[in-house]
Amino acid sequence: MQEPDILSVLKDAQTAFRAGDFANSLKFYEHFFDHALDDDPYALYAVRLSHCLDGWTELAHEFPGAKKALERKKNEMLDAYFEKGRDPERFHDFFALCRALGRESEALEEFLKLHNHEPKSAAKLSKYVWNDLLHNEHWQICSELMVESNQKLDELLAVFDEAAKLKEFDSSFDNPKFEQHIVDNLLNDLQNIVMVLRHADRHDDRKALERQFHQAVDQRNHPLLSKQVHAKSSFLFSGH
């Protein structure tokens, strides 16, 4: 399959950076960020918020103008969120740019303000800030965002199932290290759900979640997952 033409702009940014042409490297990175989604809003979505911003951030360490441009773009994306119908993707852009600048707290602060004034709008952004809310122990807000804990578990299981299928398409994923990685991720994320429920005194939901999870494990033919769940059964749902 032919690569999108816009990818050449990202390569030009990297080439210019290696050559020490920082001003043009910045122009290329900014152009890629602004236009990567023009033809297909999904094809380069992850590349735009990962490789592009990683390269742009590296440039910012060498070229002050690149950092100023990141800050300007961050503000533009927050303005775009509020001015263009509360599009969650624009807040995601804002959050990613905050991360690139090492200012995750600024993004979280904006989310908390939105949660206080427009909880329905904030709820649509929860997947972007969930881990930051957990890290900062905003248990009650997490509980409010997680109205149905079974739905949150369904989301985690869907991610696990997709990851488990990767080996069917790419043999490089068919290895014990990757299997351990996806199992650890699932169990760690499960523990976070339990932690939220414990802090919010949602005892009945914790019990229901435990039943749902064990049923889900029984339905999956994944020996490592079953083994790990059995080994950790004494504290998986303790919320510690």
Side-chain angles (χ1 to χ4, degrees), residues 14-51:
Q14 296 161 343
T15 300
F17 174 76
R18 289 193 294 269
D21 186 0
F22 297 154
N24 273 320
S25 181
L26 173 58
K27 289 179 182 178
F28 290 133
Y29 277 125
E30 192 158 11
H31 181 86
F32 182 86
F33 188 89
D34 289 341
H35 298 285
L37 309 183
D38 287 354
D39 293 332
D40 186 333
Y42 303 106
L44 298 175
Y45 185 91
V47 174
R48 177 171 169 269
L49 297 185
S50 57
H51 296 305

Side-chain angles (χ1 to χ4, degrees), residues 1-8 11 39-40 43-44:
M1 187 173 69
Q2 186 176 3
E3 287 187 347
D5 291 340
I6 190 67
L7 276 177
S8 65
K11 293 177 181 177
D39 293 332
D40 186 333
L44 298 175

Side-chain angles (χ1 to χ4, degrees), residues 23 32 35 87 89 114-115 124 130 141 147 178 227-228:
F32 182 86
H35 298 285
D87 180 359
E89 303 305 340
L114 189 68
H115 177 74
K124 296 177 182 179
W130 181 256
I141 292 176
V147 178
F178 181 71
K227 180 180 178 180
Q228 293 288 85

Side-chain angles (χ1 to χ4, degrees), residues 51-132:
H51 296 305
C52 175
L53 288 187
D54 286 346
W56 194 341
T57 303
E58 184 180 14
L59 175 63
H61 292 312
E62 304 291 338
F63 182 49
K67 183 175 182 180
K68 291 179 181 178
L70 278 171
E71 292 171 344
R72 182 177 65 251
K73 191 64 64 178
K74 168 183 68 68
N75 294 334
E76 287 178 8
M77 293 302 99
L78 184 60
D79 290 342
Y81 172 74
F82 285 109
E83 294 170 3
K84 298 180 180 179
R86 305 296 193 270
D87 180 359
E89 303 305 340
R90 298 294 71 77
F91 190 90
H92 192 196
D93 289 345
F94 166 70
F95 200 94
L97 286 155
C98 283
R99 283 197 187 284
L101 288 162
R103 296 196 199 148
E104 292 91 337
S105 60
E106 181 180 341
L108 190 58
E109 182 180 345
E110 288 293 339
F111 173 82
L112 293 174
K113 288 193 292 187
L114 189 68
H115 177 74
N116 289 333
H117 295 96
E118 299 180 36
K120 289 184 179 179
S121 296
K124 296 177 182 179
L125 309 175
S126 61
K127 62 182 178 181
Y128 306 131
V129 300
W130 181 256
N131 288 332
D132 293 83

Side-chain angles (χ1 to χ4, degrees), residues 202-218:
R202 292 168 60 175
H203 178 75
D204 290 343
D205 285 340
R206 283 171 62 196
K207 289 297 183 183
L209 187 75
E210 184 173 4
R211 290 192 297 270
Q212 178 193 359
F213 181 70
H214 283 298
Q215 289 172 358
V217 172
D218 291 342

